[in-house]
């Protein structure tokens, strides 16, 4: 049975499956902490929400890229991925806190593309910092 789990193709499929599951859970958490419904807004053509959500997806995927590259077990990879997600979520709250003149969620919901772009870049940028820290 050990030989089965040591097969490179099986490992890739396992990592992929677990990351997809984590991505779904993490996106649900992000949706719970925002005032708007991501997929409803994207369906309406809200580009700011699409950019912010895309940044979160890229950020989470980038964090998992680092965890997969450096850890030899699925459990360790998931643990570091959850830790990285918590840091990314904390970064989102800090971004909201550091902009007291307006509410990030309201601006993104109103399709303020400049705020959506900054949100995307912050998520992507922080994911590189988090990934480097995991490394």
């Amino acid at each position: 049975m050990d030989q089965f789990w040591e097969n490179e193709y099986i490992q890739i499929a396992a990592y992929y499956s677990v990351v997809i599951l984590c991505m779904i859970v993490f996106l649900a958490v992000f949706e719970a902490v925002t005032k708007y419904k991501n997929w409803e807004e994207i369906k309406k053509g809200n580009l700011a929400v699409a950019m912010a959500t895309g940044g979160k997806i890229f950020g989470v995927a980038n964090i998992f890229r680092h965890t997969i590259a450096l850890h030899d077990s699925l459990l360790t990879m998931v643990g570091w991925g959850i830790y990285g997600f918590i840091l990314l979520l904390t970064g989102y709250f800090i971004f909201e806190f550091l902009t007291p003149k307006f509410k990030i969620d309201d601006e993104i919901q109103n399709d303020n593309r400049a705020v959506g772009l900054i949100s995307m870049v912050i998520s992507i940028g922080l994911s590189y910092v988090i990934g480097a820290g995991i490394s």
Side-chain angles (χ1 to χ4, degrees):
M1 188 66 165
D2 286 338
Q3 187 178 12
F4 175 78
W5 289 109
E6 291 175 6
N7 183 307
E8 186 175 342
Y9 296 107
I10 299 301
Q11 288 179 352
I12 291 169
Y15 286 137
Y16 176 80
S17 301
V18 170
V19 169
I20 291 295
L21 180 62
C22 288
M23 185 77 69
I24 291 167
V25 171
F26 295 164
L27 285 174
V29 171
F30 270 125
E31 184 143 349
V33 300
T34 57
K35 294 180 182 178
Y36 51 86
K37 300 293 179 202
N38 292 326
W39 304 110
E40 289 176 19
E41 291 294 324
I42 291 170
K43 185 178 179 183
K44 290 192 277 185
N46 188 327
L47 188 58
V49 172
M51 287 188 293
T53 303
K56 293 169 188 169
I57 291 169
F58 184 97
V60 169
N62 190 37
I63 289 168
F64 273 107
R65 181 197 95 49
H66 287 281
T67 64
I68 290 169
L70 287 150
H71 299 94
D72 59 350
S73 76
L74 233 70
L75 189 58
T76 305
M77 185 262 312
V78 170
W80 280 105
I82 291 170
Y83 180 66
F85 168 73
I86 291 168
L87 292 175
L88 195 62
L89 187 63
T90 302
Y92 173 80
F93 289 126
I94 291 170
F95 177 42
E96 181 77 51
F97 177 74
L98 291 176
T99 55
K101 296 208 184 259
F102 58 90
K103 297 288 182 195
I104 300 299
D105 279 354
D106 293 341
E107 294 299 320
I108 291 174
Q109 185 175 15
N110 293 330
D111 201 16
N112 184 332
R113 295 173 185 174
V115 176
L117 178 66
I118 292 295
S119 178
M120 178 182 74
V121 171
I122 286 173
S123 292
I124 291 170
L126 286 177
S127 75
Y128 278 98
V129 173
I130 294 165
I134 290 170
S135 299

